[in-house]
Amino acid sequence: MRNVERYPVEGSNALWQIYRTVSPWKGVKNFICIQMARYCPHLPLKNWIYRHMLGMKIGKDTAFGLMVMVDVFFPERITIGDNSIIGYNTTILAHEYLIKEYRLGDVKIGSNVMIGANSTILPGVTIGDHAVVAAGSVVHKDVAAGQFVGGNPMQIISPK
C-alpha cells in the first residue's frame, strides 16, 4: 500500500491550515520554480531547477516531459532514479490535505521507469526499477520492479 504519515487536524479542513505545516514563502518560491520547469524545453536546465531550487533527488539522464507538476509544498520528498521518463502533464504528489487530516509521504520512482502522460502519482508510493505506468493512470499503491500497470483504479497489466 502507501507509506504515509497522518496528521489529524481540528477545526476547519486541513487545507485551510496549510501554513501551519509549510511556510507560505516556500510555497510561493516553489510555485515559481515549478512553473519555470513545467514550460522549460531544455532537460538539463529543468533537472537543475528540480535538484537545486526544489531539493528533489533526480538521477542521471532522467527526463521530465512538458507540463509535469511536482508537489509544490514538499518536492524534497520526491526521488527519481536514473534514466527514467516522466510523461507529459503527470502530477507527482507528496502530500494530501483532507477534511480531518493531512498526509505526507515520500515518493520513490526507480531507474529506467516510464510514466505515461497524464498520470497521477499519490503520496507514499514506491515504483520499482524498470516499471511502466500506462498513460492516464492513478498510482495509488506501490508498483513492483518490472511491472506494467495502468488505469483508474490502477491494475497490474503485466506482472514482472
Side-chain angles (χ1 to χ4, degrees):
M1 210 53 187
R2 294 192 293 147
N3 184 18
V4 294
E5 304 147 21
R6 296 170 176 251
Y7 300 94
V9 298
E10 293 187 21
S12 54
N13 71 65
L15 192 54
W16 273 104
Q17 302 180 42
I18 192 165
Y19 295 118
R20 293 182 187 170
T21 59
V22 63
S23 159
W25 302 114
K26 178 184 178 185
V28 168
K29 178 198 85 117
N30 287 356
F31 178 80
I32 292 167
C33 292
I34 289 166
Q35 291 306 312
M36 288 189 314
R38 290 184 82 191
Y39 293 97
C40 179
H42 190 256
L43 296 177
L45 177 57
K46 188 179 290 216
N47 284 352
W48 186 90
I49 293 168
Y50 289 140
R51 288 181 187 120
H52 299 283
M53 303 294 291
L54 299 173
M56 294 170 58
K57 292 161 234 37
I58 307 297
K60 184 177 184 273
D61 297 326
T62 285
F64 289 83
L66 194 65
M67 300 299 291
V68 169
M69 183 67 191
V70 299
D71 194 286
V72 70
F73 295 118
F74 301 97
E76 68 278 3
R77 296 187 77 145
I78 299 170
T79 301
I80 303 172
D82 297 333
N83 202 43
S84 292
I85 296 175
I86 311 301
Y88 172 86
N89 205 38
T90 290
T91 300
I92 305 173
L93 297 172
H95 80 273
E96 49 192 11
Y97 284 83
L98 308 171
I99 302 294
K100 298 280 186 192
E101 71 178 3
Y102 67 95
R103 300 175 190 161
L104 303 177
D106 295 337
V107 174
K108 298 175 186 164
I109 299 172
S111 294
N112 300 295
V113 172
M114 173 65 207
I115 308 290
N118 295 303
S119 294
T120 300
I121 314 298
L122 295 181
V125 166
T126 296
I127 300 173
D129 294 343
H130 301 280
V132 176
V133 175
S137 299
V138 176
V139 181
H140 67 285
K141 59 184 176 181
D142 291 348
V143 176
Q147 276 187 331
F148 178 22
V149 299
N152 182 11
M154 185 191 80
Q155 297 176 15
I156 297 171
I157 296 170
S158 175
K160 34 182 170 167

